[in-house]
Amino acid sequence: MQPRPNHGLRPVFCTIVPPHLLDKLSQADDPVLAAPARRTLEADGARRHQRQVTALAFAPHPPRTADAVPTKPRRTLYDCRHGTDLPGHKVRAEGDEPTQDASVNRAYAGLGATFDLLLSEYGRSSIDGKGLPLIGSVHYDEKYNNAFFDGEQMVFGDGDGEIFLDFTLAIDVIAHELTHGLTQYTANLAYQGQSGALNESVSDVFGSLVKQYSLGHSAEQADWLIGADILAPRVSGDALRSMKAPGTAYDDDVLGKDPQPASMDDYVETRDDNGGVHINSGIPNRAFYLLATALGGNAWERAGQIWFDVLTGGELTQRAGFAAFARLTVAAARSRFGEGDEAEAVLKAWSEVGVATR
Ligand SMILES: [Zn+2]
């Protein structure tokens, strides 16, 4: 099975903080909270539009020969110095000593940890499988309440310091964004409706797996939260999302309540957020959590391998829904592990969240 090339397809502009959350924040009575959120929303909206206009100019990087596939990351970090020109000023290249700037060093380490997991566990060199250099920019804009992958590079804001902290503080956020690149180079799931929610969920899955891998946490030890380290102390909540218990990540007087459903019974039909891509992703997220904890041990080994096989296997279509994805995970479990506990646990996980597998 060969992964499909994605010639001519539009890269996704994906932010870690969804528009519905920033929208809520921008309506806060306190201008200290509302102003940065409004600014971030406007900047994201403009950039989303810009991506659409320049979409046709996007072309995949030329393939390299197989014997030249690198086994070491090639990272370059830039500092935007609170401006919005990308990539900004070059501050750290691969192999350079750490800088005085902790944001630069954290982004460098997070990109490295993601590269390591992909290569050592799944045999993939970088997000394109050909050692693609990884580019990150920190200190983007002022009080920018987001981090994003724009199809070519990662960008991190410093947060407003009131609700959101420096986005490089969370390794799962870094890995989440980079996984959008992995998806772009493989299944290229369309960023709308269920396929969009799968795109988001896959980023949460590998975001969490990179965090677990770097901490040496088993499925039982993991917190199964996304973005726990970027919420300021004043927020009533644990994280942006919970894979273990979608809908319980936060319940805050400014941010409102986490809107994620935990099963198909509570699936949210909406036109916002590209049809709820950051909302309904709670359903496949919980299926992965249920599988990983049922199997036990390190989640990146068997559960992560099954998800990776589906994402990169070439059979997942760009507009796949939850049921199609679920069926492929059952097939991937059988083809890699036979008719054993793994396939049985995959079936049970999807059934618990109400997604049919046959
Ligand atoms: Zn995302």
Side-chain angles (χ1 to χ4, degrees):
M1 292 186 291
Q2 283 296 315
R4 262 184 318 283
N6 64 348
H7 301 287
L9 286 162
R10 198 171 79 207
V12 161
F13 171 75
C14 172
T15 57
I16 187 80
V17 180
H20 59 78
L21 209 157
L22 288 169
D23 207 41
K24 200 96 186 171
L25 187 53
S26 71
Q27 291 164 33
D29 293 333
D30 185 351
V32 172
L33 304 180
R38 203 169 302 134
R39 238 177 96 82
T40 302
L41 266 178
E42 283 167 11
D44 291 352
R47 201 164 268 284
R48 218 166 256 127
H49 177 71
Q50 185 192 343
R51 293 308 302 176
Q52 286 172 2
V53 172
T54 58
L56 292 172
F58 174 77
H61 294 257
R64 298 186 189 83
T65 52
D67 59 354
V69 172
T71 55
K72 292 259 186 321
R74 289 181 293 170
R75 293 162 283 184
T76 313
L77 274 296
Y78 296 83
D79 185 345
C80 292
R81 298 181 187 167
H82 305 291
T84 55
D85 287 341
L86 291 173
H89 304 268
K90 187 170 163 182
V91 285
R92 189 174 177 189
E94 189 62 45
D96 286 355
E97 292 294 313
T99 70
Q100 299 290 314
D101 185 340
S103 305
V104 171
N105 299 333
R106 282 191 296 261
Y108 184 89
L111 297 179
T114 309
F115 184 95
D116 283 350
L117 176 74
L118 291 178
L119 186 67
S120 62
E121 293 300 314
Y122 311 123
R124 187 176 181 89
S125 176
S126 193
I127 54 177
D128 67 341
K130 301 184 181 77
L132 186 76
L134 302 174
I135 303 166
S137 298
V138 302
H139 305 307
Y140 178 78
D141 207 348
E142 283 177 38
K143 297 188 177 183
Y144 180 69
N145 272 338
N146 231 332
F148 62 86
F149 177 74
D150 73 352
E152 286 160 19
Q153 70 154 103
M154 317 260 324
V155 181
F156 305 94
D158 292 335
D160 57 12
E162 298 282 341
I163 300 291
F164 293 106
L165 306 175
D166 184 334
F167 282 76
T168 62
L169 285 165
I171 192 170
D172 49 347
V173 168
I174 300 173
H176 172 107
E177 292 304 329
L178 204 45
T179 303
H180 280 301
L182 173 64
T183 299
Q184 177 182 305
Y185 279 97
T186 53
N188 205 17
L189 290 158
Y191 207 60
Q192 184 69 41
Q194 288 200 6
S195 59
L198 286 169
N199 191 322
E200 269 306 312
S201 175
V202 162
S203 273
D204 279 350
V205 163
F206 287 98
S208 181
L209 289 180
V210 169
K211 180 176 172 182
Q212 294 174 34
Y213 181 74
S214 68
L215 293 171
H217 279 174
S218 66
E220 292 75 19
Q221 293 168 310
D223 62 13
W224 295 101
L225 297 171
I226 301 296
D229 301 316
I230 56 164
L231 287 191
R234 68 174 281 169
V235 178
S236 301
D238 299 323
L240 283 178
R241 292 184 281 280
S242 168
M243 300 179 69
K244 173 163 63 175
T248 69
Y250 58 88
D251 190 354
D252 182 80
D253 50 2
V254 176
L255 296 180
K257 190 180 176 306
D258 174 7
Q260 284 209 314
S263 81
M264 288 304 282
D265 290 343
D266 300 311
Y267 187 90
V268 178
E269 295 285 356
T270 174
R271 295 169 84 157
D272 294 338
D273 184 30
N274 291 57
V277 296
H278 293 90
I279 296 173
N280 292 312
S281 55
I283 297 167
N285 274 359
R286 183 158 160 263
F288 184 84
Y289 158 80
L290 290 168
L291 169 65
T293 47
L295 294 177
N298 294 325
W300 60 84
E301 289 174 8
R302 288 179 292 168
Q305 183 72 61
I306 292 165
W307 252 238
F308 181 86
D309 286 350
V310 172
L311 186 69
T312 60
E315 290 184 24
L316 184 63
T317 63
Q318 288 175 36
R319 305 232 169 240
F322 292 175
F325 184 88
R327 283 194 294 273
L328 287 172
T329 60
V330 177
R334 287 190 177 127
S335 90
R336 194 166 276 271
F337 301 108
E339 285 290 345
D341 298 346
E342 292 84 1
E344 209 43 55
V346 171
L347 285 166
K348 188 154 179 283
W350 287 113
S351 150
E352 280 187 54
V353 301
V355 173
T357 43
R358 62 189 87 218

